[in-house]
Amino acid sequence: MDTNQYLSMFIDESREHLQAMNDNMLALENAPDDISIVQNMFRSAHTLKGMSATMGFEDIASLTHEMENVLDLVRNGKLKMEDYTFETIFQSLDALEAMVADIVDGGTGKSDVSSIVTDLKRIVDGTYGAASQEKKAAPAAEAAGGSADSVRGLLDEYQSSVLRQSLETGHKAYRIVVKIRKDCVLKAVRAYMVFDALSRFGETIKSVPSTEDIEADRFDYEFTLVMLSASEAGEIEAAINGVSEIEQALVQPIAADDLDAASTPSAASEAAAAVSAPVAQASPAASTPAAKAAAPAAGGKSAPAATRTIRVDIEKLDTLMNLFSEMLIDRVRLESLANEIKRPDLIETVEHMGRVSSDLQGVVMKLRMMPVESVFNRFPRMVRDVAKSLGKKVDLVITGADTELDRTVVDEIGDPLVHLLRNSVDHGIESVEERVKAGKPETGTVHLRAFHSGNHVFIEAEDDGKGINRDIVLKRAIKNGIVTKEQGDAMTDEAVYMLLFASGFSTAEVISDISGRGVGLDVVKSKIESLGGRVSVTSTLGKGSKFSIQLPLTLSIIMAMMVKLGGEKYAIPLSSIVETMILRKEDIRNVHGTRMFDYRSSVVPLVSLSKLFDVPDYSEEGEDETEVVIVRKGDRIAGLAVDELIGQQEIVLKALGKYLNRVFAVSGATILGDGQVALILDTNALIK
């Protein structure tokens, strides 16, 4: 079978299952006796094992198989989750993530996991710790006791009565023991095929383990059935042996005498009931075609409803976005032509097309949007590991994970957030001793939250640690030559905190493998600003700090103010504009060679775009009045002098290409309705 066509699906689903297992492990640490969490993990591990075996990634399949064995003992109450078990399973998950990452990079997914497998086996056989664990690690099949030797103990009183009446009316009854080969990877599928074969011979009235457990692969290569049939034992046995990977099929007729003790519950029947107790939760494995078919064949259940979602390759979404962008340009062009021709039916058609394309734009934009949850999900495990390595106690509280952002932005914010969170845990949260001494709880808290505000998304990382010491930051900044002492004394607290983002700045006395407050924060600032966002810091000494990131909702289609400079047109992103105004020549003053003007009880600089871009046919200096666009970057404001305001317009961002990637104060270009190219201004570069 050619598995290449399924590789992308395997990678996506493997990541989902690994993320789910990581999340469940973190939850299990807080509630080690919650068997439902273990059930969820078992199902994820089982599904991953089946997928990897089908795709031929044997190392992944073998490691998840050993994880299954451990989890099976835990969920059946035969093993307690201890520190050693937690660490070993976490190591297993790390190894699985590394193998999947290798597959993504074009590798084979092979890895030497023998030491982890050995550790998992030691947990199963109890040799890693107390000898008493050996008893706990006994195979679950033993709990069924003598159910493999006779029909007694398999049936309850009602089932025995039904079987006895059937025998009296001339029907035949059989006790069937099916053993599947130990090297069979997808034993649940083989079990389904056995049930399917038996459905042609009669009715199954009892199964140990239960059909639900068999369907979900919760059995140990052997199961026992009691069925009614009009066929001979040899026919039934031959049908079962016709299924591949069946080691043995034992079909024994049941006589009325065999039912005498069946109605009396025994220890064996109680144990069998415990092993086969169904779990009332949907299993990922049940979404496979075999499992869906197994339910009605074996237990009379209806198949689950079909999923209403599909996976779409990212490149297809990018192509769709590019095609829509071109259509948007043509729509603007058509609107311009229709207004020139002034033909009513043409104008009406173009207006209708505009409404339809606006709706289409909304759909396309939603397709590109994805929740930040895909990035946030990986942080609980990271915070746990960092805190543990530092000997600290830290809780990560995530809110707003369903907040949606453009896929391009989501892909890029992961690394900046890693820096911020590692800094919060390493340099923000105090040690347990320091927190107790300060009258705080032993466990520190880091809040990671996301929320919408206007056309922006805000992501905040806030800790309840010791806060940022202004004096220490300023002292290091002066020492590194970032600011002078005079400049520092005049700076606000927020301005001092922003010095943390200066290149190479660090307040760490000892550079660790985690980070010092400031290490990597220059990277954070650069990355966020490259996405059209900005970052700010607030802090209270002794109480904690908050890093806030503001990001645009999308980077593909934005609203912009179109302006004119002589014969040239430029676009200014609406998200950075505060307002527009008309400035008279006499209101402009010259301060140390810089043109300034009064704006809302402050003095702000006036930037001459005509000089900046060397526009040949326009200069605002000769004008009595000039149009000014007020733009903001953080808490800084500037005015951009322009010739004329054209108006607001949706524009499609186009990259300038690798040959024009260093044009100052230009972030890209757009094609206008009349076919002209207009440069998009980067207002962040204009305000320094």
Side-chain angles (χ1 to χ4, degrees):
M1 180 180 73
D2 181 16
T3 58
N4 288 331
Q5 58 181 318
Y6 303 112
L7 186 59
S8 62
M9 185 183 299
F10 168 79
I11 291 170
D12 288 341
E13 293 194 5
S14 296
R15 284 172 167 170
E16 288 177 5
H17 286 298
L18 288 173
Q19 183 61 58
M21 284 192 280
N22 265 304
D23 292 343
N24 282 316
M25 279 295 288
L26 293 171
L28 195 60
E29 276 193 316
N30 295 323
D33 296 326
D34 191 339
I35 299 302
S36 65
I37 299 175
V38 183
Q39 296 281 16
N40 292 335
M41 287 196 63
F42 182 89
R43 287 193 290 269
S44 292
H46 168 68
T47 306
L48 181 57
K49 180 188 76 173
M51 292 191 309
S52 53
T54 303
M55 295 293 292
F57 300 124
E58 297 300 333
D59 285 357
I60 297 179
S62 63
L63 181 53
T64 47
H65 178 67
E66 297 301 332
M67 286 176 61
E68 263 190 311
N69 291 340
V70 174
L71 296 170
D72 186 49
L73 294 177
V74 176
R75 72 195 181 104
N76 285 317
K78 302 179 181 303
L79 183 69
K80 289 287 186 183
M81 289 296 293
E82 300 177 5
D83 289 344
Y84 183 88
T85 312
F86 275 112
E87 292 306 319
T88 305
I89 295 180
F90 271 129
Q91 290 174 16
S92 303
L93 294 176
D94 289 340
L96 290 170
E97 287 176 352
M99 286 189 276
V100 172
D102 180 57
I103 295 170
V104 173
D105 294 335
T108 59
K110 291 186 176 296
S111 178
D112 182 10
V113 292
S114 56
S115 62
I116 302 177
V117 168
T118 300
D119 289 342
L120 291 170
K121 287 181 176 178
R122 287 174 62 198
I123 293 173
V124 171
D125 61 29
T127 58
Y128 79 94
S132 62
Q133 292 294 333
E134 293 178 4
K135 183 179 179 181
K136 292 182 180 181
E142 291 181 13
S147 63
D149 299 323
S150 80
V151 74
R152 295 171 183 174
L154 280 176
L155 308 178
D156 59 26
E157 188 173 350
Y158 173 75
Q159 291 166 337
S160 298
S161 175
V162 171
L163 195 58
R164 187 178 287 105
Q165 290 177 13
S166 299
L167 290 172
E168 291 173 354
T169 56
H171 286 85
K172 298 173 183 175
Y174 297 100
R175 171 184 166 275
I176 304 171
V177 179
V178 181
K179 293 183 179 179
I180 301 175
R181 282 168 41 185
K182 295 287 187 182
D183 58 353
C184 176
V185 177
L186 303 176
K187 62 181 187 291
V189 177
R190 299 303 172 201
Y192 155 67
M193 295 173 71
V194 170
F195 276 107
D196 186 51
L198 291 177
S199 65
R200 298 191 292 271
F201 292 93
E203 180 183 357
T204 300
I205 64 172
K206 182 67 177 181
S207 170
V208 176
S210 67
T211 53
E212 289 88 349
D213 281 357
I214 293 175
E215 175 188 332
D217 206 354
R218 296 193 289 268
F219 68 105
D220 193 22
Y221 295 95
E222 179 179 322
F223 56 94
T224 302
L225 308 174
V226 176
M227 74 173 294
L228 293 171
S229 175
S231 303
E232 298 297 328
E235 295 179 67
I236 297 173
E237 188 171 327
I240 298 173
N241 286 324
V243 177
S244 60
E245 297 188 291
I246 297 299
E247 181 178 305
Q248 183 183 20
L250 182 63
V251 181
Q252 297 176 329
I254 298 175
D257 294 342
D258 296 325
L259 302 174
D260 290 343
S263 61
T264 303
S266 64
S269 65
E270 291 175 3
V275 171
S276 60
V279 180
Q281 288 187 3
S283 166
S287 63
T288 62
K292 286 179 181 178
K301 288 189 174 183
S302 59
T307 179
R308 295 180 60 84
T309 60
I310 60 171
R311 295 182 185 275
V312 180
D313 190 276
I314 288 173
E315 290 184 3
K316 292 181 180 178
L317 286 181
D318 288 340
T319 302
L320 177 63
M321 195 67 205
N322 289 333
L323 291 173
F324 179 76
S325 299
E326 295 298 327
M327 192 178 79
L328 181 62
I329 293 168
D330 290 339
R331 187 194 82 185
V332 176
R333 176 64 173 155
L334 276 173
E335 289 173 348
S336 176
L337 291 173
N339 289 330
E340 289 178 11
I341 297 173
K342 298 187 185 303
R343 181 172 165 178
D345 54 347
L346 177 60
I347 293 175
E348 182 181 345
T349 303
V350 170
E351 286 177 349
H352 179 262
M353 189 188 76
R355 290 192 295 272
V356 172
S357 63
S358 294
D359 292 342
L360 178 60
Q361 178 184 339
V363 173
V364 173
M365 295 302 294
K366 286 180 181 177
L367 286 176
R368 285 183 60 89
M369 303 295 275
M370 63 185 296
V372 292
E373 180 181 18
S374 58
V375 177
F376 283 12
N377 277 346
R378 72 191 206 202
F379 295 139
R381 171 73 191 281
M382 183 200 78
V383 168
R384 171 204 179 266
D385 291 345
V386 173
K388 194 162 187 177
S389 68
L390 294 170
K392 297 180 179 180
K393 295 182 179 180
V394 182
D395 280 342
L396 177 63
V397 180
I398 294 177
T399 54
D402 56 348
T403 303
E404 291 188 331
L405 260 173
D406 187 279
R407 180 194 61 79
T408 309
V409 182
V410 172
D411 289 345
E412 297 291 336
I413 62 171
D415 289 341
L417 289 177
V418 166
H419 282 295
L420 292 181
L421 290 174
R422 288 171 76 93
N423 272 287
S424 291
V425 176
D426 182 24
H427 235 68
I429 301 294
E430 311 95 327
S431 65
V432 173
E433 296 78 13
E434 289 176 311
R435 291 184 66 83
V436 172
K437 187 177 179 181
K440 295 182 177 181
E442 287 186 356
T443 303
T445 304
V446 176
H447 288 272
L448 179 63
R449 60 178 73 93
F451 56 91
H452 282 124
S453 179
N455 290 323
H456 292 86
V457 168
F458 287 83
I459 299 177
E460 296 177 347
E462 183 176 7
D463 63 69
D464 65 347
K466 56 190 173 185
I468 301 172
N469 190 311
R470 171 195 167 100
D471 295 337
I472 293 177
V473 173
L474 204 52
K475 181 179 178 181
R476 185 58 60 93
I478 294 171
K479 181 180 178 181
N480 292 354
I482 298 173
V483 295
T484 64
K485 187 176 185 308
E486 291 74 20
Q487 290 173 327
D489 291 340
M491 294 173 75
T492 63
D493 287 347
E494 285 72 19
V496 171
Y497 302 151
M498 290 303 294
L499 294 175
L500 292 168
F501 294 95
S503 180
F505 185 92
S506 175
T507 60
E509 298 299 329
V510 178
I511 301 300
S512 67
D513 60 347
I514 307 297
S515 64
R517 175 79 76 178
V519 172
L521 292 186
D522 58 325
V523 177
V524 172
K525 188 167 182 283
S526 299
K527 174 60 72 175
I528 297 303
E529 288 185 351
S530 71
L531 295 172
R534 61 174 182 261
V535 60
S536 60
V537 188
T538 57
S539 181
T540 302
L541 193 61
K543 293 189 176 180
S545 307
K546 180 169 71 175
F547 290 77
S548 181
I549 297 172
Q550 178 183 328
L551 293 163
L553 274 176
T554 179
L555 299 179
S556 303
I557 298 175
I558 63 170
M559 287 297 295
M561 173 67 74
M562 302 303 303
V563 301
K564 195 173 181 182
L565 293 173
E568 298 179 6
K569 295 178 182 178
Y570 295 86
I572 305 174
L574 214 59
S575 59
S576 61
I577 297 177
V578 179
E579 65 176 303
T580 61
M581 60 182 293
I582 296 177
L583 186 64
R584 292 179 299 178
K585 186 175 182 180
E586 56 265 27
D587 293 333
I588 303 173
R589 20 185 185 149
N590 198 302
V591 180
H592 300 295
T594 301
R595 294 198 305 163
M596 313 283 286
F597 65 97
D598 291 322
Y599 174 75
R600 298 189 185 280
S601 71
S602 63
V603 180
V604 299
L606 180 66
V607 179
S608 173
L609 293 181
S610 60
K611 284 186 179 179
L612 181 67
F613 295 116
D614 196 19
V615 178
D617 53 352
Y618 173 74
S619 173
E620 73 275 359
E621 291 187 1
E623 301 288 338
D624 292 332
E625 292 182 342
T626 183
E627 299 272 6
V628 176
V629 179
I630 309 296
V631 294
R632 178 191 297 274
K633 176 187 177 185
D635 57 351
R636 301 180 188 178
I637 293 177
L640 308 181
V642 300
D643 181 8
E644 181 184 340
L645 299 175
I646 300 175
Q648 297 180 24
Q649 184 175 315
E650 272 184 332
I651 62 170
V652 179
L653 276 71
K654 297 287 186 181
L656 294 177
K658 59 183 178 180
Y659 297 109
L660 295 173
N661 60 357
R662 293 186 179 178
V663 179
F664 174 72
V666 174
S667 60
T670 187
I671 302 173
L672 303 177
D674 56 5
Q676 284 186 319
V677 174
L679 296 178
I680 303 170
L681 301 186
D682 179 9
T683 56
N684 289 330
L686 294 173
I687 304 176
K688 292 187 178 179

